[in-house]
Amino acid sequence: MLSKRNFATMMIMISVILVLFLSSVVLKEYLNDYDVNHSAETEVIDRIRQDSDAEGTPDGSPENGSSERPIFYVGSEDNGYYQAMKEWAGYRKKSFRAFDTLYAASIDASGVESQQVYLLMDGELLEHETEDAVKRLTRYAEQGTVIIFYRLPAYQTIEKSRALQDLLGIQHLRAESVKLQEIRLFGGFLLGGETHYSFIKGEEKELVDMEREIPWYDISSRTKSYMVGFLSEEEKNSMSLENEDMPAIIWRTGTGNSFVFAVNGDYMKGENALGMLDAMIYESEEYALYSVVNAQNLSVAGFPDLTVENEKKMAEVYGMTTQQFCRDILWPSLVAGAQKGNWKITSFVSVKQKDQSKKEPNQDDLIDYLKYFNETSAEAGVSLGRIESDDLASSVKDESDTLKSWNMDYIFAAGFVRKENQDWLTELTDEDGKMKYFRDIRTVVGAYEEDGQILSWLTDQITLQNTTTDSYKHSHRDNLRLKSLETALGYSNIQVDMYRILWPESRKDEWQSVAEKMAANIDTYWKPYAKFDKTTISESDNRVRNFLNGSVESTRKGDQILIETRNFSGDAYLLLRTHGETPEKMTGGSWKQIEEGAYLLKITSENASVTLKSDIETYYK
């Protein structure tokens, strides 16, 4: 039998536990300053106009007379390579000149004849007057010019010129076309380690999207391979082939006083060029040191949906309302996935998904989500435009007016624009470079496009950060592009499109079909880049502004690299890549290792230095 004393003790304990539990809940609610965007509390970094921004000069290039090697691009401007290569030169603050022909580059007043340059060459231009062009290129290489064939000459052009074969390091031509079973990208070229791209039957067609039929060249022993194609074991055995006989895709050969790089196929097309150019320059120099963003973002578009719109379809597919599905299924799933990889979510609120909607949005839903966001260090942005919007400016104004009418203090500093609305984005900006309706927006996220420019100034006040990856798929080309962007920028921006989930057109669009795939992609393919910082979009905006404004120069004296930075506000992030050396000590900053031979430097002063030590010990007998 329970005594009165024990009963009283039990009731006191239960009361204490109840009070403690309720007080923690009340305290959590009281301290949740959900109406403050902590990601937007930092001071916005102003754009610094470069001398190269003046009309008539290459975008992003430094003043004439810079000690940096200039970039000479030879080829057409509409061949799928030009835009990304010009973008890369702008990021690196290198002088960029474009020429239709090799002859035009040679006779220019500041031409390749008179200085050492990085010469980006379209090999298809060598079809005519091949021998004369090869003589020029050989002479340039002997003078110290680094030549990069971003597209090789045609097989027939190479076949008829022994001098061209020597320039490219080709010792034998095997076949005009060979079908590959696998492609191997060796480690140490792009960040992310060695990667095998398989073309085995049965794999999803959308994932196996890399070019697999290429010309087959045997390259000489004086070359170094970075990417190679492989045949099936049956084919190798039937032809008595070794691994070194496999078709070369990307390689380097030593010629004269410099190097010639060759790309066999379209693997350098588009944004892939960004990281590959940095990797090739790194392979041709004693070390590489350049600015990166150091930001990894997770952008959730069209979430939460504050208006009950597609209820019939939601009930049919998910068995619940939009409100229930967003709150009870989507948000917990997103948080679980983000916390697993320490990601920070930026969620772009959609007041209404369609202009035609007659329903009214729910303010209480937004307040609830802002509380959720604050508890998980997430950020809320806004959607700029709706699905099938007839008038972008009108729909954005309507969204702005609705949020203003709720008298909320939250600063929406980031906006998301769908692909179909990007061409009208400038209509939303004013003469002062700010948004007409959402005046606090400092950065805009553009929907995923395979070959769209990643980072740029939309206006002098607003940056543009395009998403780099669709979270629902990760093909071979996507993976190569990811490795390239991480190598060049230390940046990625994963797009999670909730429009597709809330307005499903087929079973492939339903959450149960894409959720597991999304989680697996993010958890798997970004692991090699875990040392880069996870940020919200507003946090990465300041880093992007620094990246676009700043420039870096370095010189090496013995085992020490002297670093000078310009136009950075606060800390600068640099990627240092070495050949068999590791940092031993550093002044003016700190470092951490990304992978073997690659180090992320955090520079805290205008001048810094890194002392290297060799990984190879010398023994004396």
Side-chain angles (χ1 to χ4, degrees):
M1 184 175 176
L2 187 65
S3 67
K4 292 182 179 180
R5 181 178 179 181
N6 288 340
F7 178 77
T9 303
M10 288 176 58
M11 292 305 298
I12 291 171
M13 291 177 64
I14 292 172
S15 300
V16 169
I17 293 172
L18 187 62
V19 168
L20 289 174
F21 176 76
L22 291 176
S23 63
S24 65
V25 174
V26 172
L27 194 61
K28 181 180 178 181
E29 179 75 14
Y30 177 75
L31 295 178
N32 191 329
D33 53 346
Y34 66 88
D35 57 346
V36 177
N37 184 351
H38 296 288
S39 296
E41 289 179 327
T42 55
E43 186 177 347
V44 179
I45 297 171
D46 292 333
R47 179 180 187 179
I48 298 176
R49 283 277 180 178
Q50 311 288 338
D51 293 333
S52 56
D53 292 333
E55 187 176 349
T57 57
D59 182 31
S61 58
E63 298 178 44
N64 292 332
S66 168
S67 60
E68 290 282 342
R69 286 187 185 219
I71 308 299
F72 276 25
Y73 171 92
V74 180
S76 131
E77 295 187 7
D78 58 0
N79 60 9
Y81 297 88
Y82 170 80
Q83 289 297 335
M85 291 181 175
K86 184 180 179 184
E87 178 186 349
W88 170 80
Y91 292 151
R92 297 290 166 251
K93 308 300 185 295
K94 291 181 180 292
S95 174
F96 183 88
R97 303 290 303 279
F99 303 92
D100 292 334
T101 64
L102 180 61
Y103 179 71
S106 302
I107 64 172
D108 184 83
S110 58
V112 66
E113 294 270 18
S114 60
Q115 57 186 315
Q116 293 182 348
V117 305
Y118 294 115
L119 181 64
L120 313 182
M121 185 72 209
D122 186 350
E124 290 196 355
L125 298 180
L126 271 59
E127 181 181 357
H128 304 292
E129 300 182 359
T130 305
E131 297 305 319
D132 180 63
V134 172
K135 286 179 182 178
R136 288 179 183 271
L137 291 170
T138 302
R139 186 167 67 251
Y140 300 157
E142 290 172 350
Q143 294 170 351
T145 289
V146 175
I147 301 171
I148 298 173
F149 280 91
Y150 58 83
R151 178 163 60 177
L152 277 185
Y155 184 88
Q156 295 80 3
T157 303
I158 296 175
E159 186 177 37
K160 70 182 181 182
S161 174
R162 185 63 245 177
L164 180 55
Q165 294 171 33
D166 289 341
L167 178 68
L168 293 170
I170 295 173
Q171 64 180 8
H172 178 64
L173 285 76
R174 281 188 182 265
E176 186 173 353
S177 178
V178 62
K179 196 168 187 177
L180 304 176
Q181 187 73 11
E182 180 183 76
I183 290 175
R184 294 184 191 175
L185 175 66
F186 299 125
F189 185 61
L190 299 176
L191 295 186
E194 182 167 323
T195 307
H196 295 197
Y197 301 106
S198 175
F199 302 103
I200 299 173
K201 288 183 179 179
E203 289 196 43
E204 294 183 49
K205 188 175 181 181
E206 66 175 6
L207 302 184
V208 185
D209 58 352
M210 192 178 284
E211 184 179 9
R212 61 179 298 193
E213 291 191 34
I214 60 171
W216 188 354
Y217 304 109
D218 278 348
I219 55 178
S220 70
S221 58
R222 61 186 174 90
T223 62
K224 180 178 180 180
S225 297
Y226 304 105
M227 192 157 83
V228 173
F230 277 78
L231 280 63
S232 67
E233 286 299 319
E234 293 79 6
E235 290 175 299
K236 283 177 62 179
N237 294 333
S238 66
M239 291 186 278
S240 301
L241 298 172
E242 302 295 334
N243 282 350
E244 54 265 29
D245 300 320
M246 293 296 98
I249 297 176
I250 301 176
W251 70 89
R252 179 199 77 187
T253 182
T255 302
N257 295 316
S258 191
F259 295 103
V260 175
F261 292 85
V263 181
N264 181 18
D266 68 353
Y267 305 96
M268 205 168 175
K269 184 173 273 188
E271 299 297 299
N272 286 347
L274 299 180
M276 288 190 182
L277 285 170
D278 278 320
M280 289 174 179
I281 290 178
Y282 157 64
E283 285 291 324
S284 65
E285 303 289 350
E286 195 176 11
Y287 68 93
L289 183 69
Y290 52 86
S291 176
V292 293
V293 179
N294 185 27
Q296 309 288 296
N297 300 306
L298 188 63
S299 295
V300 182
F303 180 87
D305 180 9
L306 302 180
T307 305
V308 177
E309 296 178 76
N310 197 23
E311 293 311 279
K312 184 178 179 181
K313 188 69 174 179
M314 294 297 291
E316 175 187 326
V317 174
Y318 302 115
M320 57 185 71
T321 66
T322 301
Q323 183 188 48
Q324 292 170 332
F325 181 66
C326 286
R327 183 192 60 213
D328 301 334
I329 304 297
L330 290 185
W331 179 244
S333 299
L334 290 171
V335 171
Q339 289 179 342
K340 189 175 181 180
N342 296 318
W343 292 88
K344 291 185 177 182
I345 295 173
T346 303
S347 194
F348 294 92
V349 175
S350 179
V351 175
K352 287 186 178 182
Q353 296 276 14
K354 288 194 173 185
D355 289 336
Q356 297 81 7
S357 174
K358 303 300 182 183
K359 304 291 182 65
E360 291 302 318
N362 190 326
Q363 180 183 2
D364 291 337
D365 279 354
L366 178 58
I367 292 174
D368 288 342
Y369 278 106
L370 290 180
K371 292 177 180 178
Y372 300 154
F373 294 165
N374 197 35
E375 292 170 1
T376 56
S377 299
E379 178 184 12
V382 290
S383 298
L384 300 175
R386 299 165 179 163
I387 301 173
E388 302 170 357
S389 180
D390 296 325
D391 187 340
L392 180 64
S394 177
S395 63
V396 173
K397 182 179 184 301
D398 184 49
E399 301 253 327
S400 175
D401 290 344
T402 300
L403 293 175
K404 283 180 181 178
S405 70
W406 292 347
N407 295 317
M408 302 190 67
D409 295 327
Y410 193 91
I411 294 176
F412 294 98
F416 177 85
V417 59
R418 293 178 58 79
K419 186 183 299 184
E420 62 267 24
N421 294 328
Q422 288 192 39
D423 290 342
W424 293 277
L425 187 57
T426 54
E427 295 181 7
L428 301 180
T429 59
D430 223 329
E431 293 79 6
D432 59 1
K434 291 189 175 184
M435 286 288 173
K436 292 178 181 177
Y437 306 113
F438 289 101
R439 302 290 291 174
D440 293 318
I441 284 183
R442 62 177 69 171
T443 187
V444 172
V445 172
Y448 171 72
E449 287 188 274
E450 186 173 341
D451 292 324
Q453 182 166 341
I454 305 302
L455 306 169
S456 62
W457 292 98
L458 180 63
T459 71
D460 283 353
Q461 304 293 323
I462 303 171
T463 58
L464 182 63
Q465 303 182 60
N466 281 328
T467 53
T468 60
T469 310
D470 182 346
S471 65
Y472 301 137
K473 74 178 187 72
H474 198 84
S475 68
H476 291 344
R477 292 185 71 90
D478 291 330
N479 184 261
L480 186 62
R481 186 171 186 266
L482 170 64
K483 296 168 77 70
S484 180
L485 294 181
E486 295 289 6
T487 301
L489 305 175
Y491 177 89
S492 66
N493 190 358
I494 306 173
Q495 173 182 298
V496 183
D497 187 1
M498 287 303 171
Y499 293 96
R500 175 178 173 179
I501 309 304
L502 299 177
W503 297 82
E505 296 180 0
S506 68
R507 297 190 69 87
K508 288 184 178 181
D509 299 324
E510 295 172 13
W511 180 243
Q512 58 267 27
S513 300
V514 299
E516 186 175 349
K517 188 181 297 184
M518 178 193 76
N521 287 342
I522 295 174
D523 185 47
T524 302
Y525 297 109
W526 273 262
K527 276 185 178 177
Y529 317 110
K531 294 297 180 66
F532 290 118
D533 292 345
K534 303 295 197 303
T535 59
T536 65
I537 287 296
S538 289
E539 289 170 348
S540 75
D541 169 59
N542 265 19
R543 299 187 180 199
V544 168
R545 290 169 183 266
N546 251 342
F547 173 78
L548 295 174
N549 281 337
S551 61
V552 181
E553 286 191 7
S554 66
T555 55
R556 179 161 185 169
K557 294 183 178 179
D559 60 357
Q560 191 175 59
I561 298 175
L562 305 177
I563 305 168
E564 182 181 352
T565 63
R566 296 193 186 97
N567 297 332
F568 285 95
S569 177
D571 299 335
Y573 295 97
L574 312 180
L575 189 68
L576 170 65
R577 303 190 70 186
T578 63
H579 301 281
E581 294 178 298
T582 57
E584 184 176 32
K585 60 182 180 179
M586 182 175 182
T587 64
S590 59
W591 83 86
K592 58 183 174 182
Q593 186 173 15
I594 300 296
E595 62 181 45
E596 184 178 354
Y599 306 90
L600 179 66
L601 309 186
K602 181 179 180 179
I603 308 296
T604 55
S605 62
E606 289 186 357
N607 295 285
S609 68
V610 179
T611 302
L612 301 176
K613 65 176 181 179
S614 176
D615 292 337
I616 304 171
E617 295 186 19
T618 303
Y619 293 89
Y620 296 94
K621 185 175 180 181

